[in-house]
Amino acid sequence: MPFVVWGLAVAQALLMSGNILLVSVSALIGQQLASASWQITLPVACQFAGLIVATLPAAHLMQRLGRKTGFVLGNLFGLLGAWIALQGLLAESLGLFACGTFLTGIAIGVGQQYRFAALEACDNGQHARAISLVMAGGILSAVIGPNLAIWSQDWHAVSPYAGAFYGLFGLYIVALLLILLLPLPAATPVQPGEQVRSYGELFRQPMLLAAVASGMIGYGIMVLLMTATPLSMEHHSHNFPDTAMVIQWHVLGMFVPSFFTGHLIRRFGTRNVILWGCAALLLSAVVNLSGHGFWHYWWGMLLLGVGWNFTFIGATHLLTLSYLPAEKARVQGINEFLVFTAAAFGSLFAGQGIMLLGWVGLNLFAVPWILMVFLLIWRLNAREAVAA
């Protein structure tokens, strides 16, 4: 595997560590600064908004200027966002703090292109392994992010949360230096005369439709149930250490399979791996519906993580088979926009959903969406199935 892919895996780990660090403290800071209850999650909502806003422009910018320029700009947005968020926290200004999280959201949105950059740095036969390796960086982030949130509590005398933003600033500095050192692929602008299909033409391809749906539903359902799990466990009298353990194993379920998902795709095909991911998501819902004990949540969340891994990595690989080189910015950009919009809705609906539908109703709500993706992938015709 080329050196640049390993470098992008480390960059992905740094990005996700910063994301986990930010998620760990943003709602708590919102609660501290908010003057009304609806404002508590405003910084988190602004972070998602920044992520979504960045996805389409980032893909087109990188096609014009190259991956390195795009990633450097993304990290600069992250540095600026961390500094502004810190100033908002110290000035006790929710608006300024939310502006900072919006800018860090842009950085996170740009960084979602790391896995596509890894594809361009290796041969076609290594694509599945490259995607898996970059996503495996999440294992490192599962260790760095939460621990940095804990260690940084004593770094600033004014606020126990201010140190987190010094840590976030440091992560973006390291990521920026790493990106500057990596020999990333040059820009590949569309040549005069090259035809680029419209979104309507592109989405008439069953393979593209299935790939985008798999990424959207896999990510959206994962975020929905993951975000609702602590609320459900608290309602059923589980203590915080048990909840933390369930979420930790969920994160491991999300990223540990990345070490062999690429091998599974090469051996059994992308189509089958996505179908297995849908089966794991369905099994997770079944386990969640079967009881409220610790081990129900533990197994349910572990299966949810594995299901997300197979559907998301499989969807990314399937997506690369559905467009021509001149169309990559258009397809990658709209895919990221739709996938992370679904994730944002999952996050925002989780709290309201658990109150309106309950834990059982929320899992039942997830089932038909998973079955829809299963059907779309299953119905890929013979030629597309072979390609996948």
Side-chain angles (χ1 to χ4, degrees), residues 181-344:
L181 291 172
L182 288 177
L184 294 170
T188 53
V190 178
Q191 299 301 315
E194 276 191 286
Q195 289 190 340
V196 178
R197 287 172 289 179
S198 68
Y199 286 122
E201 291 174 304
L202 288 165
F203 275 95
R204 280 196 286 272
Q205 300 176 93
M207 185 182 292
L208 178 60
L209 186 63
V212 173
S214 176
M216 287 180 67
I217 301 306
Y219 219 126
I221 294 301
M222 185 276 292
V223 171
L224 174 71
L225 297 181
M226 176 190 70
T227 307
T229 292
L231 301 174
S232 178
M233 291 187 71
E234 182 182 44
H235 178 72
H236 289 93
S237 303
H238 291 278
N239 59 37
F240 181 74
D242 283 351
T243 302
M245 181 177 290
V246 165
I247 296 300
Q248 183 180 40
W249 278 93
H250 166 68
V251 174
L252 291 172
M254 288 173 63
F255 296 113
V256 169
S258 298
F259 287 113
F260 53 82
T261 306
H263 174 72
L264 292 175
I265 287 174
R266 290 179 63 192
R267 181 167 182 179
F268 299 104
T270 312
R271 179 173 175 266
N272 285 332
V273 169
I274 297 176
L275 291 175
W276 296 343
C278 290
L281 293 175
L282 287 170
L283 189 56
S284 168
V286 170
V287 172
N288 290 336
L289 291 168
S290 65
H292 300 287
F294 170 80
W295 290 108
H296 293 100
Y297 288 107
W298 189 91
W299 278 108
M301 286 301 101
L302 182 65
L303 289 165
L304 184 71
V306 173
W308 172 84
N309 183 280
F310 284 3
T311 54
F312 187 68
I313 291 179
T316 300
H317 189 245
L318 191 64
L319 190 79
T320 64
L321 305 174
S322 66
Y323 57 81
L324 301 172
E327 299 166 339
K328 72 177 182 180
R330 174 166 290 200
V331 174
Q332 291 172 6
I334 194 64
N335 177 74
E336 300 299 272
F337 176 81
L338 292 172
V339 167
F340 290 103
T341 298

Side-chain angles (χ1 to χ4, degrees), residues 137-191:
I139 298 171
L140 191 58
S141 70
V143 176
I144 295 174
N147 282 299
L148 190 54
I150 295 168
W151 298 332
S152 62
Q153 287 187 321
D154 298 325
W155 291 1
H156 200 285
V158 175
S159 169
Y161 305 122
F165 292 91
Y166 289 114
L168 188 64
F169 200 88
L171 289 174
Y172 280 121
I173 287 286
V174 175
L176 178 61
L177 295 174
L178 177 61
I179 291 299
L180 288 171
L181 291 172
L182 288 177
L184 294 170
T188 53
V190 178
Q191 299 301 315

Side-chain angles (χ1 to χ4, degrees), residues 92-134:
E92 298 186 348
S93 168
L94 181 66
L96 193 59
F97 180 74
C99 180
T101 62
F102 176 80
L103 292 173
T104 56
I106 290 176
I108 294 166
V110 173
Q112 298 304 323
Q113 294 281 324
Y114 285 148
R115 68 190 196 281
F116 291 119
L119 299 179
E120 296 161 13
C122 59
D123 299 330
N124 289 346
Q126 295 179 307
H127 278 186
R129 285 184 59 208
I131 298 168
S132 293
L133 182 61
V134 171

